[in-house]
Each structure stands twice: as C-alpha cells, then as structure tokens.
Amino acid sequence: MVNQVFNQVTAHSTFPSSMSIVEDYDMGGNAISFLEVDGFRYPIVDSEIVKGMSQLKAKDDDILLLAYPKSGTHWTWEITSMLLQGKAETIPHWKSKVMVELQPQEVIDAFPASPRVLNTHVRYNQLPLQAREKKCRMIYVLRNPKDVAVSFYNHHKSFENLYKNYNGSLNDYLPFFLSGKTDYGSWFDSILQWEKDIEAQRDRHPIHIMYYEDMKQNPVEEIRKLAGFLGVSGDDSLYNAVADKCSFENMKEDKEPFDPKFKGKLLVYRKGQVGDWQNWLTPDQNEMFDKVYQEKMKDSKFKDNIRFTLP
Ligand code: A3P
C-alpha cells in the first residue's frame, strides 16, 4: 500500500509535532485521505485544533465521553446530557460542539451546559492534560467491532469532505479497517489500550463502562445505572422518558435541526441496530474478521461482554 504525503508542516510552540494530509489506498486501490498528526490519523479536520487539544482547559466537573468512532457516541451523549438536565427534552445542540479534537477553546467554553459532556475518539494519553490532572469523570462506550466496521465503512463513504471522496467496496475496505489504517487507528489497539488505561486510572478517574448492545437490549436499566454514576436523582418515569426520547427513530427525527450537516443523509443516524453486520459480511469476510478478532482480543476482559447479536 502506498502512502502519499502531500504536505508536511512542522511547528509547535512547546513540542514539535508533524502534520500532513496523507492519501492511503484500500485493498482495491481506492484512495482515502486523512489528517495525520504525530503518526495518528484523524478525519480531515482543523489541524491547529488537533495540535492544541492537549492544552485545552478543562473544568473539575467536566465529563469525558470516550468511544471509538461509530460505537454510539451521539446516543450516549444525548442520554447523559438529558439525565444531567433532569428532563427528557432534546438537547438543542450538536454534540460535536464539545468534541475536543474538533472545536477551539472558545466554542467549547461557550457551550451552555454545566457540567459539560466533552467527547472524543482519541486515547487516554491524548486527552487534554487538565482533564487528566483534574481526574474528570469518564464514560467509556464499546460496540461490537463488526457493526462498528460496517458503520465506519458507511461513514467513510458518506463524509465526502472529511476523507476526499472515498468510494471502495466493503470487500476492499475490511482489510483496511482490520489492519488499523483508518482515522483513530485500529479498533483493536484502541480497545486494548483503553482496557489498560482504564485499569491504570481506576483509582484516579471515576469511570463508567457501557456497551451499545446492552443499551439496545435494556435501555432503561442502562440509563438507571448511568444516572447512578452521574449522581442524578431520577426515577423510573425519567429513565423511561429518556429511553424513549433517545430511541433511534426519535433521535433521527429530533436531532436533525441541530445537526444541519446531516440533513437527509445517512451519516450519523443510519440504522441503529445490533447485528446489521450480518446483512453485509459474506461468510469469508466473517471468517477473516473472526480470525483477527480471536487473535487480537485473546487476553481482553472486554471480550467477555462484547456481543455480536442479541438473543
Ligand atoms: P449505524 O451506522 O450502525 O446505524 P457514533 O455516534 O459513535 O458516531 O455512532 C454512530 C452509530 O450509532 C450509528 O450506527 C448510528 O445509527 C447509531 N446511533 C445513533 N443514535 C442512535 C440511537 N439513538 N440508538 C441506537 N443507535 C444509534
């Protein structure tokens, strides 16, 4: 696979960092582009913001919502924000307004909510230093990687500007995904690194772990547990109302006015199901996926809770 570097910028006030737009190719030779900063791939977003991310000022009560892309970040952000406001009313904002690799300090600071639910797809050691020093509360969301791969494939094809018009087939894309060449790197590396960091940080940061599949199967119970973590004093009527307002169908309809970029497109609210991969992966592709999964995840504790289908 060829790596083509278009430009190279090397400048930073406190420590040197390298930045470039890289064009890579899937197995079929279809081009896809990323922003690469210090060897880590991002969508093509503002490189100055990515560069300044570690210096972002955090507040003591900030909550960090953390997930590999396509794991249910929008959904969990909406649920968390509704619980914190104590009512099941749609949040009239785009979650990306408080996404740390996307927004400058002034936009994040102007966000009208307290506490704030900052969110990101980066790893622990890339988080804003202050958020780490202040031991901010963290919510970590996981989803089974076959559904993540299918969702990410559709994402890469749909966000034309972020990846410069990627248009490969799933067959060509899967090896690319499995070898960790996408933005935010390998799902496996990300999950395994978070597993280590969560273990190491447990005594510093309060951490709550959620699985997309559990949220789908029993949303009210998962919302109740999350409320307990957040210290929100709600009751069943609130949890039921939040679960309903945050159902896939309701969010798809309600959030559109606040996510204008997504209007009428299958970008974020695509299908929202567990096991959609079964409609996409051939038996051969599935076997290839299983091989990599078994090998990479053999020592993972998360593995015990990751479900590829629901009963
Ligand atoms: P699909 O592409 O499988 O539909 P993220 O927010 O981390 O980018 O994840 C996006 C995925 O979460 C998409 O998956 C999207 O449809 C799904 N999603 C978004 N809102 C949801 C909701 N309210 N309930 C269930 N899934 C949701």
Side-chain angles (χ1 to χ4, degrees):
M1 245 171 250
V2 191
N3 238 11
Q4 204 179 331
V5 179
F6 285 126
N7 66 53
Q8 188 84 29
V9 184
T10 311
H12 194 271
S13 50
T14 46
F15 50 87
S17 69
S18 69
M19 279 189 286
S20 53
I21 302 292
V22 294
E23 186 177 84
D24 206 342
Y25 302 90
D26 71 9
M27 282 297 283
N30 301 289
I32 180 164
S33 296
F34 304 99
L35 168 70
E36 203 170 272
V37 179
D38 295 332
F40 194 80
R41 290 183 174 184
Y42 298 83
I44 302 179
V45 294
D46 186 334
S47 57
E48 286 304 311
I49 292 173
V50 172
K51 214 170 75 172
M53 193 167 62
S54 66
Q55 304 305 315
L56 197 83
K57 293 189 185 70
K59 295 184 183 172
D60 291 316
D61 64 353
D62 278 341
I63 292 161
L64 297 166
L65 172 59
L66 310 154
Y68 189 82
K70 315 317 286 180
S71 302
T73 328
H74 286 77
W75 187 18
T76 314
W77 187 84
E78 195 73 11
I79 292 172
T80 307
S81 304
M82 279 190 195
L83 286 174
L84 290 169
Q85 73 179 3
K87 51 184 188 235
E89 277 175 20
T90 299
I91 310 301
H93 299 282
W94 190 25
K95 90 153 180 53
S96 303
K97 276 196 172 167
V98 276
M99 189 171 189
V100 300
E101 60 270 46
L102 215 63
Q103 303 295 354
Q105 184 82 52
E106 56 275 19
V107 172
I108 291 183
D109 285 348
F111 195 76
S114 179
R116 312 180 291 195
V117 187
L118 306 182
N119 61 93
T120 178
H121 300 313
V122 300
R123 316 264 170 99
Y124 183 78
N125 68 358
Q126 295 163 294
L127 292 177
L129 281 169
Q130 280 199 354
R132 287 184 265 164
E133 282 161 12
K134 290 174 186 262
K135 303 174 188 167
C136 289
R137 288 177 287 175
M138 309 197 307
I139 299 169
Y140 185 62
V141 185
L142 289 112
R143 183 183 193 188
N144 87 67
K146 291 180 188 172
D147 282 334
V148 168
V150 167
S151 185
F152 217 5
Y153 169 66
N154 283 286
H155 168 105
H156 282 126
K157 285 195 25 152
S158 308
F159 278 98
E160 291 145 6
N161 298 341
L162 292 184
Y163 305 103
K164 296 204 179 164
N165 305 308
Y166 173 64
N167 196 22
S169 68
L170 183 64
N171 199 48
D172 290 334
Y173 176 86
L174 270 182
F176 193 76
F177 174 85
L178 288 171
S179 58
K181 305 228 164 161
T182 61
D183 35 343
Y184 301 102
S186 154
W187 181 89
F188 301 98
D189 292 351
S190 178
I191 266 53
L192 294 172
Q193 186 61 50
W194 270 110
E195 191 165 325
K196 273 194 207 146
D197 285 329
I198 286 173
E199 207 45 50
Q201 300 301 330
R202 255 194 200 290
D203 295 338
R204 284 167 51 81
H205 295 265
I207 300 175
H208 183 69
I209 300 174
M210 302 182 76
Y211 292 84
Y212 183 100
E213 294 74 25
D214 294 347
M215 287 159 70
K216 269 313 263 197
Q217 190 171 10
N218 204 343
V220 176
E221 188 49 34
E222 292 306 307
I223 289 170
R224 181 181 294 114
K225 285 194 244 165
L226 177 60
F229 172 74
L230 295 169
V232 167
S233 54
D235 55 16
D236 276 1
S237 70
L238 175 68
Y239 307 147
N240 275 298
V242 170
D244 181 57
K245 198 73 181 151
C246 293
S247 72
F248 176 78
E249 291 72 22
N250 286 340
M251 271 188 71
K252 189 175 171 72
E253 192 172 324
D254 295 346
K255 291 300 288 185
E256 206 170 71
F258 310 108
D259 294 359
K261 276 194 182 161
F262 304 149
K263 200 166 169 53
K265 295 192 182 169
L266 291 175
L267 296 178
V268 172
Y269 307 102
R270 189 187 63 90
K271 204 155 180 190
Q273 287 180 2
V274 175
D276 186 38
W277 63 268
Q278 295 167 106
N279 300 315
W280 291 77
L281 269 61
T282 64
D284 284 352
Q285 290 166 347
N286 192 32
E287 198 180 315
M288 172 178 72
F289 207 119
D290 282 340
K291 261 194 201 146
V292 178
Y293 184 80
Q294 296 307 338
E295 170 56 27
K296 295 257 190 192
M297 297 294 282
K298 60 181 186 302
D299 298 323
S300 164
K301 292 199 189 83
F302 283 151
K303 183 165 156 249
D304 303 335
N305 297 311
I306 292 173
R307 291 182 295 157
F308 290 92
T309 55
L310 292 183

